[in-house]
Amino acid sequence: MEQIGFRMQLNAGQAEEYRRRHDEIWPELVTLLKQAGISDYSIFLHEDTLSLFAVLRRTSDHGMDGLPLEPIMQRWWEHMADIMASNDNNEPVVEPLERVFYLK
């Protein structure tokens, strides 16, 4: 398993809505993520900057690169695009994070 982290940006005033939408995450999206080899996925909010920090584990043969082609993923991105920084195709703007420390 590989652990990765990345940052996204929430729009002002949208923290509660972001939480609500994730509390109601679509079961078919959860299934898709797990089928892509993703597990132990957490997103943290830094309230002062509205930065979202995500950490997940993925298998060595993960299918994350194919997720943008999946209709469920595209619908989720469209569902979230109004409350966070997104690209023209509604995909969230994602900045990879470099791990600088790990304690096992």
Side-chain angles (χ1 to χ4, degrees):
M1 294 290 264
E2 174 189 27
Q3 185 181 48
I4 64 166
F6 52 94
R7 188 185 86 79
M8 299 173 288
Q9 188 64 42
L10 193 58
N11 294 340
Q14 298 300 320
E16 287 308 313
E17 181 63 16
Y18 188 86
R19 284 184 183 97
R20 186 190 68 76
R21 292 183 191 186
H22 279 80
D23 286 345
E24 299 172 1
I25 193 168
W26 307 334
E28 61 270 26
L29 178 59
V30 172
T31 299
L32 178 67
L33 295 174
K34 288 182 178 183
Q35 288 174 343
I38 297 170
S39 64
D40 197 18
Y41 188 177
S42 297
I43 301 172
F44 301 88
L45 172 64
H46 185 264
E47 299 247 1
D48 291 345
T49 63
L50 298 176
S51 288
L52 298 163
F53 298 92
V55 179
L56 62 82
R57 293 189 182 278
R58 63 186 184 185
T59 58
S60 59
D61 62 345
H62 69 85
M64 281 184 67
D65 297 337
L67 289 175
L69 304 175
E70 296 290 338
I72 297 167
M73 189 86 267
Q74 293 170 8
R75 285 195 316 269
W76 181 257
W77 289 343
E78 183 179 350
H79 179 60
M80 300 300 289
D82 64 321
I83 64 170
M84 61 190 304
S86 301
N87 294 305
D88 290 340
N89 66 350
N90 292 325
E91 182 176 2
V93 174
V94 171
E95 297 176 45
L97 296 173
E98 176 186 358
R99 179 177 16 211
V100 296
F101 175 76
Y102 177 66
L103 176 68
K104 187 170 182 176

